[in-house]
Amino acid sequence: MKIGIMGTGRMGRGLGRLWADRGYPVMLGSRDLGRAAALAEAMGPNASGGSNQAALAFGDVILLAVPWDTVEALVRSMDGWSGKIVIDCVNALDGAGGASLPGGLSVAEHIATWAAGARVVKAFNGIYFSLLEQPGFSGQAASVFYAGDDAGAKAAVGELIGAIGFAPVDCGPLVAARHLEWLAALWIHLAFRQGWPPDFAFTVLRR
Ligand SMILES: NC(=O)c1ccc[n+]([C@@H]2O[C@H](COP(=O)([O-])OP(=O)(O)OC[C@H]3O[C@@H](n4cnc5c(N)ncnc54)[C@H](OP(=O)(O)O)[C@@H]3O)[C@@H](O)[C@H]2O)c1
């Protein structure tokens, strides 16, 4: 499974490095080819760098890891989304620590309309970047909640979640991304409004 990544920031390069370390071919896409090449070089032989369009062509799976206010222009500027599995980790925040659910929809639902034919899966939006390399808490893995309409795409994303040590939790269809975006808003509220040190994550207890 080849992975193209758009955005070389904290989430893009953090997840890219982990997947490359696990043997997945990764292309880091960026507006800055030099930055993408340098970051990829540091990630070893499974990583390469290129433009965002090149990352889209490369990946079976595309991680969108750019700020919300840049997503629509980026997605609409490129061709070749049909059939791609798109992992959307984007949160649209309202500036007060809440999710804004623009137009009453999740970010993921918007992306599904802009990226024609893509199989969008919401995932990783509730995981703080500094936790990516430390998914375990006292022997229990933090959960990555994910949602999407395409069973095959969700199976692939579940594999990628598990491959880096998180517990995949399938939350159902893409419309459930609205809940995942609010769940991320709760995390942000606790960390940035309530002063919790950010070394925490959510999980599910079952009986
Ligand atoms: N930080 C977290 O802990 C966290 C956790 C969960 C979810 N998220 C979500 O993940 C996404 C990325 O967050 P981040 O913290 O990784 O952000 P970041 O560190 O600011 O990196 C975002 C990257 O997006 C690219 N970018 C910026 N403006 C762009 C534009 N106009 N067009 C295309 N690409 C642009 C840039 O890469 P290039 O310069 O290489 O193009 C930049 O490095 C956000 O939507 C955020 O809500 C973040």
Side-chain angles (χ1 to χ4, degrees), residues 5-65:
I5 294 180
M6 298 186 190
T8 58
R10 293 165 293 184
M11 294 299 283
R13 66 173 179 266
L15 284 165
R17 177 179 298 110
L18 290 168
W19 285 324
D21 282 350
R22 302 303 186 279
Y24 293 98
V26 169
M27 180 180 281
L28 280 180
S30 175
R31 297 163 300 169
D32 180 331
L33 297 186
R35 176 164 54 243
L39 287 168
E41 171 85 24
M43 289 183 190
N46 291 326
S48 58
S51 65
N52 285 315
Q53 183 69 65
L56 176 58
F58 176 86
D60 306 303
V61 176
I62 308 298
L63 171 69
L64 261 176

Side-chain angles (χ1 to χ4, degrees), residues 6-14 28-33 35-36 39 50 52 63-71 73-74 88-93 107 123-132 184 187-188 192:
M6 298 186 190
T8 58
R10 293 165 293 184
M11 294 299 283
R13 66 173 179 266
L28 280 180
S30 175
R31 297 163 300 169
D32 180 331
L33 297 186
R35 176 164 54 243
L39 287 168
N52 285 315
L63 171 69
L64 261 176
V66 300
W68 159 243
D69 60 358
T70 73
V71 172
L74 180 66
D88 160 33
C89 72
V90 173
N91 289 310
L93 302 175
V107 170
F124 290 106
N125 68 306
I127 299 293
Y128 194 50
F129 77 96
S130 66
L131 301 181
L132 291 174
W187 191 99
I188 291 163
F192 298 118

Side-chain angles (χ1 to χ4, degrees), residues 35 38-39 45 48 64-66 72 77 89 94 107 118-119 121 133 147 151 162 170 175 181 186-187 199 207:
R35 176 164 54 243
L39 287 168
S48 58
L64 261 176
V66 300
E72 181 173 5
S77 72
C89 72
D94 65 4
V107 170
R119 302 142 76 197
V121 179
E133 303 212 10
D170 183 348
V175 69
E181 293 178 21
L186 173 62
W187 191 99
D199 198 16
R207 237 189 271 284

